[in-house]
Amino acid sequence: MTRVWNFSAGPGALPESVLRRAAVDMLDWQGCGMGVMEMSHRGKEYMSIHAQALADVRELLAVPDNYKVLFMQGGAIGENAIIPLNLIGRGDGADYVVTGSWSKKSEKEARKYGKTRIVANTESEAGFTTVPALADWQLSDNPAYVFTCPNETVVGVEYPFEPDLAQVGQGDVPVVADLSSSILSRPIDVSKYGLIFAGAQKNIGPAGVTLVIVREDLIGHALDICPSAFDYKTVADNDSMYNTPPTYPIYISGLVFQWLKAQGGLAAIERMNVAKAELLYRCIDGSALYENRVDKACRSRMNVPFFLKDEALNDAFLAGAKEADLVQIKGHKSVGGMRASIYNAMPLAGVQALVDYMVEFERSRG
Ligand code: PMP
């Protein structure tokens, strides 16, 4: 069996040890004679898996006691609707900071449920390449929340700061953050956010579960039209088991959380992520063939888009990469070029293999 180096933007690679553990547990989880997929979510076996996963993710992110951690369904795109359904009634509409295609889409969805305002937008002819300074966000007087996407997966733009609105005198306004592609990649200060959400299929586990971390005072304000299964109060009051939770994705996510703890937690994983990203950006910057167009300060550590200056070489580049077992590096169709996603589960050796290939490809065309 050959495992390739998988640079998929998501669903992305999982740690090999997690997959091996899941294979061992497939027919019989810890001697109970059943696999996890076959268990009642109300049984003591699954309940223990669920509780442990919640406790581990709380520990990894140092979630303060006044926040609930929820496992939901509907993905991050689902949350684009679920968030306004739950929060927009609290204020006079909602503010959106648009720094890429994902936050742009989030604002569009929210319009169905209330008034939205785009309070900063970095789209230019060159696409999205930067993050506006906090001082340049034209926040409104009484927004229900300010929506941000601190790592834009498609365009590879990441905030170089945590959006702490206290710095601009608006500390009471809750910041909502779509961390789908950067959660667990570094420590964050959860107390700076009102709500954090992330689809699982990049740095958490398999597609099918959505992680939501929400401050308790933001729960209980849902619009009447909000479906019960998506009302944060219903979900929180029922320990994320109001309806049947995605049990298997939660179980695998739990194994990923344990793997992360064994790596030394988020400070340790951040050091590895910095080393991986530096290696790849150094290769791009040092070459005459490749380029990355994002402001250096706002380059994503997780999603690294790059272009071949001679686009006629794209197909040859991708074919050669595949032969070297380097897969899923074609850029998003809206952007073109290449994109290497280097989430937590991608080891430095995988990034080194990509860099070696890129150097050799450039040399052979030189
Ligand atoms: N937001 C971001 C930042 C994403 O990267 C993605 C998925 N690539 C989504 C939202 C959409 O997630 P889902 O498909 O889980 O709804």
Side-chain angles (χ1 to χ4, degrees):
M1 179 196 67
T2 309
R3 295 259 308 157
V4 294
W5 296 119
N6 175 5
F7 295 92
S8 167
L14 285 165
E16 193 170 315
S17 63
V18 165
L19 296 176
R20 289 189 186 282
R21 178 75 246 167
V24 168
D25 289 349
M26 182 59 74
L27 300 184
D28 178 10
W29 182 80
Q30 295 196 1
C32 74
M34 298 176 279
V36 176
M37 267 182 269
E38 310 167 291
M39 291 173 180
S40 162
H41 59 298
R42 308 273 175 213
K44 69 173 188 329
E45 294 87 359
Y46 176 73
M47 297 274 270
S48 72
I49 291 170
H50 191 94
Q52 189 64 49
L54 282 171
D56 284 340
V57 74
R58 279 200 98 96
E59 181 184 330
L60 281 163
L61 285 162
V63 177
D65 289 345
N66 61 328
Y67 285 72
K68 295 282 188 208
V69 178
L70 312 176
F71 291 138
M72 297 186 67
Q73 294 175 80
I77 290 183
E79 290 299 324
N80 284 343
I82 294 168
I83 288 163
L85 278 166
N86 276 273
L87 305 187
I88 210 158
R90 285 182 68 259
D92 179 21
D95 288 356
Y96 278 73
V97 178
V98 174
T99 50
S101 43
W102 284 113
S103 44
K104 188 174 175 178
K105 200 175 183 125
S106 301
E107 187 274 332
K108 232 174 147 185
E109 179 73 10
R111 278 183 219 163
K112 293 183 185 170
Y113 305 104
K115 195 165 70 173
T116 63
R117 269 169 310 256
I118 296 177
V119 294
N121 186 350
T122 57
E123 190 162 20
S124 71
E125 266 178 27
F128 291 99
T129 57
T130 193
V131 174
L134 267 182
D136 294 333
W137 299 8
Q138 308 290 316
L139 298 176
S140 46
D141 285 343
N142 179 33
Y145 58 87
V146 178
F147 186 102
T148 64
C149 181
N151 186 64
E152 287 278 358
T153 322
V154 170
V155 296
V157 168
E158 185 165 11
Y159 282 34
F161 54 83
E162 280 196 279
D164 178 5
L165 294 186
Q167 289 173 9
V168 288
Q170 298 252 41
D172 291 344
V173 177
V175 175
V176 169
D178 176 356
L179 292 186
S180 292
S181 48
S182 57
I183 190 125
L184 300 171
S185 68
R186 56 164 91 194
I188 52 168
D189 182 352
V190 173
S191 72
K192 299 273 188 284
Y193 303 86
L195 186 147
I196 289 167
F197 69 102
Q201 63 273 19
K202 302 161 199 304
N203 259 343
I204 298 177
V209 60
T210 318
L211 180 73
V212 175
I213 303 172
V214 54
R215 215 173 58 212
E216 283 171 350
D217 61 288
L218 301 179
I219 297 175
H221 306 279
L223 303 180
D224 291 342
I225 57 162
C226 180
S228 310
F230 295 149
D231 183 334
Y232 294 139
K233 181 159 171 49
T234 320
V235 181
D237 287 351
N238 290 280
D239 291 330
S240 302
M241 294 215 205
Y242 174 68
N243 60 329
T244 311
T247 52
Y248 200 74
I250 291 171
Y251 153 74
I252 299 283
S253 302
L255 294 181
V256 172
F257 301 150
Q258 282 167 25
W259 174 81
L260 276 169
K261 284 167 69 174
Q263 302 300 300
L266 300 193
I269 211 81
E270 177 177 34
R271 284 194 290 279
M272 295 183 230
N273 286 332
V274 167
K276 282 151 48 184
E278 278 181 3
L279 178 62
L280 185 47
Y281 284 115
R282 209 180 312 127
C283 165
I284 294 166
D285 291 343
S287 112
L289 178 60
Y290 311 110
E291 65 171 331
N292 169 281
R293 298 169 186 164
V294 176
D295 278 5
K296 282 199 173 148
C298 306
R299 286 172 160 184
S300 169
R301 287 181 187 166
M302 294 287 106
N303 310 99
V304 182
F306 62 93
F307 297 86
L308 276 64
K309 286 181 191 162
D310 179 358
E311 300 235 314
L313 294 175
N314 281 356
D315 288 346
F317 181 84
L318 286 166
K322 187 152 191 292
E323 248 168 57
D325 288 331
L326 305 159
V327 307
Q328 309 263 14
I329 46 178
K330 193 170 179 178
H332 190 273
K333 59 182 183 308
S334 64
V335 176
M338 309 294 153
R339 173 178 50 168
S341 293
I342 48 176
Y343 297 121
N344 289 344
M346 172 61 67
L348 186 64
V351 181
Q352 187 64 59
L354 175 61
V355 165
D356 291 347
Y357 168 71
M358 289 168 69
V359 169
E360 177 52 27
F361 183 84
E362 182 171 3
R363 196 198 53 76
S364 69
R365 306 289 140 159

